[in-house]
Amino acid sequence: MAAGLDSIGFGVLGVPRPPDTTELERQAGVLESAAGSRRSLGDDGARAHRLGAGNAGIANDALDEHVAGKAGLLSRTADQTQHVSVAASVSQIATTVVKWAGGLLAGLAGIAGLAALTPQGRAMLVARLRPFAHRVQGWIRAAMQSVGRLFTRLADLVRGTTARQRVGRQLTAEQRLMSTQWQRTVAERTRIIQTKTVHARISTNQATASIGRAEGQLNSAESSLRNARNTVNARADAAYARGEIDAATRARLQAGREGWANHPWLDDLDRMHLSQQASRLAQVEARLGRNPAAHLTDAQRHVNEGLDLARRSGVDASDLHNLQREVADLAFRRSELVDRAWTTRMDINGPFKIQDVYPV
């Protein structure tokens, strides 16, 4: 199923699958090994030349010029070592860029495959995903072109058709270009992570405000219920002290098993006030299950996307980790408030009353 969605995603994005980087990684390893071998060869040649420094004569002078002269073997070996080492660095950077961009493109293809199943998703593809996917494909293409130019110039160097100094400068410029592109990529990913953090913070603040309003209404209802209980307890204690009721009757009255809104020892105003509080609590439960839940879901989505991008790019995400903990705490607090609201409403209405949401 996932493979099918990926195929659909690459099709609707209009980009090919990312290339396999196995060969690129192997070539980078070969270049690094070659640079090490040439460096070792140069060191051995310099050591051998020093051992023969005590010889004299015309033949030795010619050998000295051939080995250690300005255009001698040691100089050419040093130049080639530098070129191959630079080429290995460029190849490694290009491989990293291709692997990262390929992973990002595969993720976009999966999202696009799912989004293509709905009209809203297809609209999002045209507006956002497709242009971004083509930009990522451009990064892959630029990296592969850099590798192609790299090996073309290395081949020229081996054949001797390009001046060594010019090739060295070109390879260094290529390395500088790839490093600049990589820095720009990291900067763009950092900007995306910061945007995700801002969006998550906005949704978290909205959830906090909604939960705070609901908690205020719940506290008011709980306070009204406590006042009603205290009133009944005081009246029952006074009646018991006067001998008007027995201990069992006092205990039953103070328990309020049939619901405090219907308690016979409360006046009409108190009972009406409690009934209004029960209606408000039903609204509080509905709001807690709707608005804060949606804000928390949105915040969690932004946090997850930002953390995933931060893990793949090595960017610090301490703010997102803090937000993740805050969202979890808010979700737990919302659940507690829902339980409290339901319990208080049951105490007011009575556990056996048919609620308004279940009309007969």
Side-chain angles (χ1 to χ4, degrees):
M1 181 63 181
L5 287 176
D6 286 348
S7 299
I8 295 173
F10 283 112
V12 297
L13 290 176
V15 295
R17 288 183 176 275
D20 185 9
T21 59
T22 303
E23 189 62 20
L24 279 176
E25 294 173 358
R26 190 188 69 81
Q27 289 170 346
V30 170
L31 287 173
E32 186 64 31
S33 176
S37 298
R38 287 186 173 275
R39 192 176 297 109
S40 176
L41 179 62
D43 293 341
D44 292 342
R47 190 179 303 108
H49 183 261
R50 286 195 301 271
L51 292 175
N55 297 331
I58 297 176
N60 187 71
D61 293 339
L63 178 61
D64 183 77
E65 180 63 24
H66 176 69
V67 174
K70 184 179 294 185
L73 293 176
L74 294 181
S75 176
R76 291 200 301 272
T77 300
D79 288 342
Q80 290 177 356
T81 300
Q82 177 191 2
H83 300 331
V84 176
S85 179
V86 171
S89 299
V90 173
S91 182
Q92 289 172 351
I93 294 174
T95 301
T96 302
V97 172
V98 172
K99 288 181 69 175
W100 169 82
L104 181 58
L105 203 59
L108 288 175
I111 297 173
L114 289 173
L117 301 178
T118 62
Q120 297 87 349
R122 289 192 289 272
M124 183 185 69
L125 285 175
V126 175
R128 295 185 179 180
L129 289 186
R130 190 174 296 165
F132 185 65
H134 281 276
R135 189 189 309 174
V136 174
Q137 178 61 26
W139 297 339
I140 295 177
R141 188 181 300 111
M144 296 302 292
Q145 288 174 349
S146 296
V147 173
R149 289 193 297 269
L150 167 70
F151 283 98
T152 298
R153 289 165 186 167
L154 279 178
D156 292 340
L157 176 64
V158 172
R159 290 194 300 266
T161 57
T162 303
R164 288 189 300 274
Q165 294 297 327
R166 184 165 61 86
V167 170
R169 288 194 298 269
Q170 289 172 339
L171 289 174
T172 303
E174 195 73 38
Q175 184 184 33
R176 190 180 300 113
L177 175 62
M178 292 297 300
S179 298
T180 301
Q181 290 176 343
W182 177 252
Q183 292 170 357
R184 289 175 180 172
T185 300
V186 172
E188 183 169 355
R189 284 181 287 176
T190 302
R191 180 185 60 78
I192 294 173
I193 292 172
Q194 291 172 346
T195 302
K196 295 291 183 185
T197 304
V198 170
H199 288 167
R201 169 52 62 191
I202 291 173
S203 297
T204 302
N205 290 343
Q206 290 173 334
T208 302
S210 297
I211 291 173
R213 288 192 294 269
E215 188 172 17
Q217 294 175 331
L218 174 59
N219 290 338
S220 176
E222 290 175 336
S223 177
S224 298
L225 180 59
R226 281 194 301 271
N227 292 336
R229 282 174 170 167
N230 291 337
T231 299
V232 170
N233 289 341
R235 290 175 180 174
D237 288 340
Y240 177 75
R242 293 192 300 268
E244 297 175 359
I245 60 174
D246 56 20
T249 302
R250 180 181 66 171
R252 180 178 58 79
L253 290 172
Q254 291 179 343
R257 294 187 181 90
E258 287 75 26
W260 294 91
N262 299 315
H263 203 287
W265 280 36
L266 291 174
D267 56 33
D268 292 340
L269 184 61
D270 289 333
R271 287 195 294 268
M272 182 182 68
H273 180 65
L274 286 177
S275 296
Q276 292 173 346
Q277 291 289 4
S279 299
R280 292 194 185 99
L281 286 175
Q283 297 172 0
V284 167
E285 291 178 63
R287 282 195 293 270
L288 284 172
R290 184 175 61 250
N291 295 341
H295 294 319
L296 290 174
T297 299
D298 188 63
Q300 189 62 61
R301 177 174 59 84
H302 287 300
V303 167
N304 290 341
E305 292 173 354
L307 287 176
D308 180 64
L309 186 57
R311 278 192 295 268
R312 289 189 282 111
S313 59
V315 177
D316 176 67
S318 55
D319 291 342
L320 284 172
H321 285 294
N322 293 335
L323 274 173
Q324 189 177 43
R325 288 189 291 269
E326 187 173 344
V327 169
D329 291 341
L330 283 173
F332 180 75
R333 180 182 168 196
R334 184 188 73 86
S335 178
E336 279 190 327
L337 291 179
V338 171
D339 292 341
R340 282 173 54 191
W342 184 87
T343 301
T344 305
R345 187 163 60 87
M346 291 299 99
D347 288 342
I348 293 174
N349 286 339
F352 304 110
K353 179 180 177 181
I354 297 177
Q355 302 302 312
D356 295 336
V357 292
Y358 303 116
V360 177

